[in-house]
Amino acid sequence: MAFLLFEDAARFDLLPFTYTRPVYALRSGILTLLERWEKVLDAPVAGLPFDYLSAGFPTAASPASATWINGRTLPDEDFVRVVRNTRPGTYTLSPDGQVLTAAFEKEIKGPFNGLVTEAWLAGQGLTPKTLTSAPRMIAALPDLFRMAADNIRFDFSLLTQDGHHHPIRDPHTRIYGADNLFVAEGVQVRAAIINAEDGPIYIGPGMKVQEGAIIHGTHGFHSHGTVAMGAKLRGDSAFGPFVKVGGEVGNAVIMGYSSKGHDGYLGNSVLGYWCNLGADTNTSNLKNNYDQVKLWHYPTGRFKGTGLQFCGLMMGDHSKCSINTMFNTGTVVGVSANIFGAGFPRNFVPDFSWGGAGGLVTYQLRKALETAERVIQRRDMQLSDGEKAILAHVFELTSSHRNWDTLNT
């Protein structure tokens, strides 16, 4: 049986992260949503990216011959059963009307931009079935860090059931809760404190944990990253491949290839891919009046309540900030922003912005691509033509947000 993940209209609630990648390529835990489904189903899983994202992400060759799964869903035993039992010619809905799965009896009719709606499925002749319960789903930006702990625990069980634990032999490293710790091949740990009593903690292949680092609580380190000297990592945080992390971090997700290597606090926050936080960057995750935090909501073009008391920074792919940057509670930074200067930047820094509290101008696409190429080349990789096309498309899509006459007053 073939499977594929699709996107729906809720992907727009997850901007800016879904500007540059499909929702199923996001990380909230050790694995991305697609990687998690592949492990659970023990089968290859294809994707149907939205519209322009097909330039950089593979698209299923024969989608009608597969069972479709909403790419925002998090698998559990009951929902996996639903996926496997979705009959051709039907689709399933959650109790609140969200499309969860679909299976086709014949080829798709007419154009398809990668965005699934119930109306489109009905137009294909499929019959609906409403379930009495629904799986957990990523629905809003804070879900990425709020659900991280549960997702790390779920991924830990997937990744360790057949894996071989490599004990840490360093005599100067102290370990608590060793039964909740898994160390993959090629990990190097020196004079660290690892407390997995409230874990689990997964340390993936090729990771380096440097001297004096303290890791406490639930954590997932995907692979080939570095925990810097003296780092203080509180629980419920997930770090993707080739991430450098230092300073103080609590309940944060850093998706991949990004660096927060220096002192400074990052809490209840999400960083995308290829981001960099300058030394002593700090994020506020709690308002002085303890009120609920609001975040910029791209679809409505305004700030929207999260219902949360703790919420820090959401930073899109390829964005950077200079040393000593201070981010207010509930700040959203778009794709490819370059932030510097004294004072607190605005709570919404538009995509392709250049500047800070003193004012913003457009970060021209040519210069942004040049920087992205340099950053990626440092990892012995290349910025593909598809990635360039996606960034160019995002630059055009977000032009209306860069209204500097309004933003700089």
Side-chain angles (χ1 to χ4, degrees):
M1 181 180 291
F3 303 95
L4 66 84
L5 300 182
F6 66 83
E7 301 199 74
D8 61 8
R11 72 176 310 280
F12 300 113
D13 294 315
L14 297 169
L15 298 173
F17 300 115
T18 49
Y19 268 140
T20 46
R21 61 195 61 250
V23 64
Y24 51 77
L26 301 180
R27 189 181 311 277
S28 175
I30 306 169
L31 304 172
T32 66
L33 281 81
L34 187 146
E35 290 168 344
R36 185 175 297 116
W37 273 109
E38 285 189 324
K39 286 285 186 181
V40 168
L41 297 171
D42 192 26
V45 177
L48 283 176
F50 171 68
D51 194 24
Y52 66 92
L53 292 176
S54 61
F57 293 86
T59 302
S62 302
S65 61
T67 298
W68 295 28
I69 309 167
N70 191 312
R72 298 186 294 112
T73 55
L74 301 168
D76 58 37
E77 185 176 345
D78 290 340
F79 186 56
V80 170
R81 190 177 302 113
V82 170
V83 168
R84 293 190 182 279
N85 293 331
T86 300
R87 299 193 312 274
T90 68
Y91 64 95
T92 62
L93 297 170
S94 66
D96 62 353
Q98 299 182 82
V99 178
L100 299 176
T101 67
F104 295 78
E105 289 182 307
K106 50 191 175 183
E107 290 300 312
I108 295 169
K109 298 181 292 186
F112 176 63
N113 69 352
L115 197 65
V116 172
T117 65
E118 185 180 0
W120 182 80
L121 290 172
Q124 299 293 319
L126 274 63
T127 303
K129 177 184 178 181
T130 300
L131 305 180
T132 57
S133 63
R136 294 184 307 135
M137 303 177 75
I138 302 292
L141 292 178
D143 290 346
L144 293 165
F145 68 79
R146 284 197 318 110
M147 297 181 176
D150 286 342
N151 292 336
I152 291 168
R153 295 186 188 102
F154 189 91
D155 294 345
F156 184 90
S157 65
L158 290 176
L159 292 168
T160 61
Q161 58 190 358
D162 299 320
H164 178 62
H165 173 68
H166 294 71
I168 295 172
R169 304 296 187 187
D170 176 56
H172 304 293
T173 292
R174 187 65 186 265
I175 298 172
Y176 302 88
D179 290 345
N180 285 334
L181 173 66
F182 183 88
V183 179
E185 186 177 6
V187 171
Q188 182 184 101
V189 182
R190 297 288 182 267
I193 299 174
I194 301 174
N195 187 340
E197 290 175 338
D198 299 324
I201 296 175
Y202 177 88
I203 305 178
M207 285 291 305
K208 293 182 179 180
V209 181
Q210 295 181 336
E211 295 85 350
I214 303 173
I215 303 172
H216 182 280
T218 302
H219 282 88
F221 302 89
H222 184 279
S223 62
H224 302 289
T226 300
V227 180
M229 292 181 291
K232 294 176 288 186
L233 306 187
R234 304 179 185 276
D236 303 344
S237 293
F239 308 98
F242 293 91
V243 164
K244 297 179 180 179
V245 60
E248 184 180 3
V249 178
N251 192 201
V253 175
I254 305 180
M255 293 195 189
Y257 298 93
S258 292
S259 295
K260 185 240 173 286
H262 303 284
D263 285 345
Y265 177 65
L266 181 72
N268 303 104
S269 297
V270 181
L271 305 184
Y273 289 77
W274 303 108
C275 297
N276 186 72
L277 302 187
D280 203 32
T281 292
N282 285 280
T283 62
S284 169
N285 63 341
L286 174 67
K287 298 178 71 171
N288 284 355
N289 62 2
Y290 287 56
D291 199 2
Q292 74 160 276
V293 180
K294 295 181 178 180
L295 281 177
W296 180 258
H297 184 239
Y298 276 87
T300 57
R302 59 181 178 84
F303 289 92
K304 182 179 179 181
T306 63
L308 302 176
Q309 199 172 57
F310 291 91
C311 186
L313 169 68
M314 307 287 130
M315 178 178 276
D317 290 3
H318 292 285
S319 286
K320 317 282 189 293
C321 69
S322 68
I323 62 170
N324 298 319
T325 301
M326 301 180 294
F327 288 107
N328 262 313
T329 317
T331 294
V332 174
V333 175
V335 172
S336 198
N338 197 313
I339 302 166
F340 54 89
F344 287 90
R346 294 172 50 86
N347 284 52
F348 171 53
V349 179
D351 309 76
F352 293 91
S353 294
W354 176 279
L360 297 166
V361 297
T362 298
Y363 191 10
Q364 295 300 328
L365 178 62
R366 176 182 59 82
K367 294 183 178 180
L369 291 177
E370 288 175 354
T371 299
E373 286 184 312
R374 293 190 195 106
V375 170
I376 291 176
Q377 285 170 0
R378 292 183 66 208
R379 306 276 192 175
D380 296 322
M381 300 168 66
Q382 296 293 324
L383 186 67
S384 70
D385 290 340
E387 290 170 309
K388 292 177 185 177
I390 289 172
L391 288 171
H393 195 85
V394 174
F395 182 82
E396 297 300 328
L397 278 178
T398 58
S399 60
S400 62
H401 302 154
R402 297 187 288 275
N403 184 355
W404 307 127
D405 289 341
T406 299
L407 288 170
N408 292 334
T409 56

